[in-house]
Amino acid sequence: MSVKYEIMNVAIRLFAQKGYMASSTREIALMAGVNLSMINYYFSSKEKLLENIVASNTSDLIEKIKDVVELEISELDKIHSLIEIYAFYILGNDEVSRILFQEQLMSSYVENIKALQNLDDANRKYFTEIIDSGKQKLIFASDTDPGFLYLSIIGTVQQYLIRTRSDHKAVSGNQTAYSEAEINDVVAYLKKLCDGILLAR
């Protein structure tokens, strides 16, 4: 494992446990077993370290969302696909998801984290495009609010993560504490919820 990767891995664990603001580069260096100067060498600052963590853990997610938008499937199927992507990403990346949620709550600070803002902008943009297209085709209810529905989906998965965390210990790396069946249950619930809102007349 490279020194840079180890620093990022340790930072993810520490940021998820204590929060970004409460974590210091000195703690990260100590836990990673490296000199403090190595963090400055690879990242120049704690803010840049967080930027790297967010960017490296969300770039593939944004591409998956773009791919769904371009698929030749119905708008409802696109929304269902996005629900699956969101649920599997959030519940499959417990520590990174906690960092994203924690930093998004700090709205004044998030503006400085370009990768986090890019993720939020992409999510809202593509989600809104799909909803508006469905409304124009009279597939979705005309009074559907894309922003509110998007927040409802993300908020529901977030709350599930928070409320079940005591029963599922966070697992670092590419593993997840949640089984595929558990995540599929969340996906099924969200699809029913969205169908009830989108297809209501």
Side-chain angles (χ1 to χ4, degrees), residues 76-98:
L76 185 60
D77 285 337
K78 289 181 180 181
I79 293 298
H80 285 181
S81 294
L82 289 183
I83 288 172
E84 292 178 10
I85 290 172
Y86 295 148
F88 274 91
Y89 179 83
I90 294 171
L91 298 177
N93 298 276
D94 178 79
E95 290 180 325
V96 173
S97 295
R98 271 188 273 173

Side-chain angles (χ1 to χ4, degrees), residues 20 61 64 73 83 90 97 103 105 146 153 185-186:
Y20 170 81
L61 177 61
K64 286 182 180 179
I73 57 177
I83 288 172
I90 294 171
S97 295
E103 300 315 316
L105 291 175
I153 293 170
D185 284 343
V186 175

